[in-house]
């Protein structure tokens, strides 16, 4: 049986070992007892959370603001009550991230929790890396969605033309040449999309779209030619008002934005009248605003937000994948812009896309 002297000696040695550990660890750590009193902390905690020796033996309720994390007291109490470890990623007001572990301190004699040990491991850079990876994945998914969506129209035209050739019902050389023109344009569009993808992968950042000085009239004409068969079949009349001709932007993105908006204006036309579509491009403070107004079926106000959701379809009777407006919003917002919608059922729709010139306001584009 140990004497009192030996017991005191052992306790002193254990306390010295604990003090030595607390002095030399590089991790901010706190020891809080079962009454929520701060009993001990490591030197890194002094720097990270502005603690001082005068805070020892103070209630956590009096110093919890130092941690810039409002629910720390509730979390400590939860661990004391449950006797289970709590792990949580937290962000403090200085925008730094920590992996916070609250571990119950259990007394062997009665197997009861006598407090907690809290450790804070900074993970700011890891969180930033994860966010960047998530951004890359999201951008890659948007790229794939855009390519699959943009290739659908020329591929459909190509399939229809091949069916016409198979039937052998062409009446004259003029019909043959017209059909051949459709095939050539469709193949050209598909080839351009493949070249755009190859070029983007060849860049230093394979998910980064190359920004270049673009002419709006050229992009509009490119889109008009792609949708030529739909425009002709619907009898659509398109008027343009281009007040600013150039923008530094990604060609693939700008083309996809205008293509999707014009395609929707034709697709969701009123059955009682031919589509009348107005396209305007005007400067507005730090933005260039692309507006497309139609006289189509319109959109109920309750659906204004939903139409920008992925796979949402306004009319299931019409052909489509439901990602057109979703892609437009993703491309615009990820490039530092915004998008607004005004519409009423039976009165048509106006969509305004606010684009930032990437030379005047350079951004990391997706």
């Amino acid at each position: 049986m140990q004497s009192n002297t030996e017991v005191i000696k052992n306790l002193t040695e254990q306390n010295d070992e604990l003090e030595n550990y607390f002095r030399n660890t590089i991790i901010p750590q706190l020891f809080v007892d079962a009454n929520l009193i701060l009993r001990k902390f490591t030197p890194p905690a002094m720097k990270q959370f502005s603690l001082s020796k005068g805070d020892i033996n103070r209630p956590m309720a009096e110093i919890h603001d130092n941690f810039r994390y409002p629910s720390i007291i509730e979390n400590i109490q939860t661990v004391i009550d449950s006797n289970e470890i709590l792990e949580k990623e937290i962000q403090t007001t200085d925008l730094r991230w920590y992996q916070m572990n609250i571990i119950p301190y259990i007394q062997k004699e009665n197997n009861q929790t006598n407090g907690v040990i809290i450790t804070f491991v900074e993970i700011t850079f890891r969180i930033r890396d994860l966010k960047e990876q998530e951004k890359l994945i999201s951008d890659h998914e948007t790229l794939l969605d855009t390519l699959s969506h943009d290739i659908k129209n020329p591929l459909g035209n190509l399939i229809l033309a091949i069916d016409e050739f198979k039937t052998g019902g062409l009446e004259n050389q003029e019909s043959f040449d017209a059909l051949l023109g459709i095939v050539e344009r469709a193949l050209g569009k598909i080839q351009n999309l493949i070249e755009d993808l190859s070029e983007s992968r060849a860049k230093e950042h394979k998910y980064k779209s190359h920004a270049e000085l673009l002419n709006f009239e050229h992009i509009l004409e490119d889109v008009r030619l792609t949708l030529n068969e739909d425009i002709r079949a619907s009898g659509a009349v398109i008027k343009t008002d281009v007040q600013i001709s150039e923008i530094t932007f990604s060609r693939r993105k700008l083309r996809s934005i205008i293509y999707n908006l014009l395609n929707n204006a034709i697709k969701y036309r009123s059955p009682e009248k031919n589509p009348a579509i107005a396209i305007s491009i005007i400067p507005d403070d730090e933005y260039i605003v692309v507006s497309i107004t139609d006289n189509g079926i319109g959109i109920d106000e309750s659906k204004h937000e939903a139409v920008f959701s992925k796979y949402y379809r306004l009319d299931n009777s019409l052909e489509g994948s439901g990602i057109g407006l979703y892609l437009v919003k993703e491309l615009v917002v990820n490039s530092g812009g915004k998008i607004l919608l005004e519409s009423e059922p039976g009165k048509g729709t106006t969509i305004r896309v606010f684009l930032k010139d990437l030379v005047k306001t350079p951004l990391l584009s997706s």
Side-chain angles (χ1 to χ4, degrees), residues 16-27:
D16 288 343
E17 290 175 357
L18 185 61
E19 287 290 345
N20 184 58
Y21 168 78
F22 266 76
R23 279 195 304 269
N24 292 288
T25 183
I26 62 173
I27 300 174

Side-chain angles (χ1 to χ4, degrees), residues 273-325:
K273 49 195 172 185
N274 290 341
I277 303 169
I279 303 175
S280 69
I281 300 169
I282 61 175
D284 180 56
D285 295 331
E286 75 266 34
Y287 295 103
I288 296 175
V289 184
V290 179
S291 298
I292 296 187
T293 300
D294 64 55
N295 63 340
I297 60 175
I299 305 169
D300 187 85
E301 185 176 0
S302 63
K303 299 178 181 178
H304 282 192
E305 186 174 345
V307 294
F308 293 104
S309 302
K310 194 172 185 180
Y311 304 126
Y312 181 86
R313 298 182 63 189
L314 189 63
D315 186 344
N316 289 327
S317 66
L318 297 175
E319 182 181 356
S321 59
I323 65 172
L325 286 180

Side-chain angles (χ1 to χ4, degrees), residues 235-287:
V237 176
I238 302 173
K239 296 182 178 180
T240 60
D241 176 20
V242 181
Q243 297 182 21
I244 181 167
S245 294
E246 295 180 334
I247 184 174
T248 302
F249 208 76
S250 159
R251 179 181 297 275
R252 173 178 59 79
K253 287 184 177 182
L254 184 59
R255 184 191 178 281
S256 185
I257 289 167
I258 295 177
Y259 168 85
N260 281 295
L261 293 179
L262 184 56
N263 185 44
N264 275 4
I266 297 171
K267 181 187 299 183
Y268 295 105
R269 59 186 179 271
S270 170
E272 289 85 24
K273 49 195 172 185
N274 290 341
I277 303 169
I279 303 175
S280 69
I281 300 169
I282 61 175
D284 180 56
D285 295 331
E286 75 266 34
Y287 295 103

